[in-house]
Amino acid sequence: MIEVRYSASPHDVETATNADLRKNFLVEDLFRAGEVRGVYTHDDRLVVGGAVPGTDQLELPAWEVLGATSHLARRELGIVNVGQSGHVIVDDEKFELRHLDGLFVGRGSNVVFTGADAAFYFVSAPAHATYPTTLLSHAAVEPVKLGAPESANERSLYRYAWGQELQTAVLQFGVTVIADGSVWNTCPPHLHDRRTEVYMYVDLDEKERVFHFMGRPAAARHLVIRNHEAVISPPWSIHSGVGTGSYAFIWAMGGENNEYTDLTPVALEEL
C-alpha cells in the first residue's frame, strides 16, 4: 500500500485548516504487522515507508508509482530499525539491525525485511550512481553534541549518511536523540532551499506528543505528532519541534545536492 502526496504551495499552507495540514504533510500509520506501507511525495520524489515483518519476510515493493521493475532500480535507500532486533537481507547478504541501527542500501539492490519484533523505517530517493551497502551501527557512530540544558535543547546528533565518510548519490539520514530534561529539537530552525527533509519521531511514550512547527518563517504553523509519525518538510518550510517528554527523531533528506551544511539559518526573531 502506498499513498501519493503532491507538492503544496506555501501560500496555501498559510490559510490551510489543521485537517488540510495533516492530510498533506503528516505521515501516519506506516507500521502495521505483516505489511510494507509507504508515502510517495512529489517533493524531491522521496518515498517514506515502514515495514513490520512479524513472523513473515517482507520484500521492498516496486510500487507502480515508481515505474520500475524493482524499488531500487533507480533509487538508493536508508533504513533505521525503530523496533527490536531484526535483519535486512540485501542481495542475499544478511545484516542485523538493533534498535536505531541504520543501513544504507545502494541502487539496484533487492531488499527483504525479517524480524518478529522489528519495525523498519525507510526512505528512498532517486539516485544517479551506485554506492556500496553499509551497516551503520548506532553504538558505533560518534554523536555530535548540540544545544545546552539551559536552553532545553541539548541533543546528540548521529550522522549516518551526511555527504562525508559514507558516499551516497543524494540521500542523507541519521538520528537525533534529545537529552533527558530537554524538549526542543533543531531550534533555532533553518531552511533547506535545495532539499526536502522528513522527520520521523520515535521513542515517545504513548501519552506524549511533539508539537512540530512548519511553514515559511513568517507564517509558521504546527502539527501535533505521536510516536512513529513523520512530517514532510518541503524546501520552503522550517522544521522544528518541542516535545512533552523524551524522544528521538530520524531525519532524512534528498534533493539537489548532499552537502550537509547547505542550509539557511532562521533567527527566532524572524518567526
Side-chain angles (χ1 to χ4, degrees), residues 138-176:
H138 183 72
V141 174
E142 184 68 27
V144 178
K145 300 296 184 179
L146 300 171
E150 55 268 27
S151 52
N153 67 347
E154 185 180 11
R155 58 201 190 275
S156 296
L157 172 66
Y158 294 83
R159 297 179 295 192
Y160 289 175
W162 57 290
Q164 298 185 30
E165 299 175 8
L166 172 64
Q167 193 170 9
T168 67
V170 299
L171 187 64
Q172 298 183 0
F173 69 102
V175 177
T176 299

Side-chain angles (χ1 to χ4, degrees), residues 19-100:
D20 288 336
L21 292 178
R22 295 178 72 85
K23 180 180 179 181
N24 289 322
F25 300 101
L26 181 64
V27 178
E28 305 174 274
D29 203 22
L30 282 182
F31 301 97
R32 287 195 182 184
E35 296 185 24
V36 182
R37 301 171 69 86
V39 170
Y40 178 100
T41 173
H42 280 268
D43 289 305
D44 286 306
R45 300 191 180 277
L46 297 180
V47 172
V48 179
V52 185
T55 57
D56 298 323
Q57 290 192 348
L58 297 176
E59 294 185 5
L60 181 65
W63 285 299
E64 184 178 358
V65 67
L66 302 179
T69 56
S70 68
H71 190 111
L72 297 184
R74 298 187 298 267
R75 290 176 163 264
E76 58 188 6
L77 182 73
I79 304 169
V80 177
N81 185 5
V82 299
Q84 302 307 309
S85 183
H87 293 86
V88 179
I89 303 170
V90 181
D91 298 333
D92 297 325
E93 184 175 0
K94 196 172 188 178
F95 298 89
E96 182 179 7
L97 272 68
R98 297 180 174 85
H99 185 66
L100 294 187

Side-chain angles (χ1 to χ4, degrees), residues 1 18 63 73 84 86 96 100 114 125 130 151 159 161 171 173 178 199 203 214 223 225 241 246 254:
M1 178 266 183
N18 186 262
W63 285 299
Q84 302 307 309
E96 182 179 7
L100 294 187
T114 70
T130 303
S151 52
R159 297 179 295 192
L171 187 64
F173 69 102
I178 310 303
Y199 276 12
D203 291 353
M214 61 162 295
L223 294 167
I225 312 297
S246 62

Side-chain angles (χ1 to χ4, degrees), residues 191-208:
L191 299 171
H192 295 289
D193 289 336
R194 284 161 289 279
R195 289 176 290 179
T196 297
E197 183 161 15
V198 181
Y199 276 12
M200 162 59 71
Y201 288 100
V202 299
D203 291 353
L204 280 82
D205 288 340
E206 182 179 351
K207 294 183 179 180
E208 303 293 350

Side-chain angles (χ1 to χ4, degrees), residues 10 53 101 113 117 124 127 129 188 224 266:
D101 283 351
F113 301 99
D117 298 313
S124 73
V224 181
V266 176

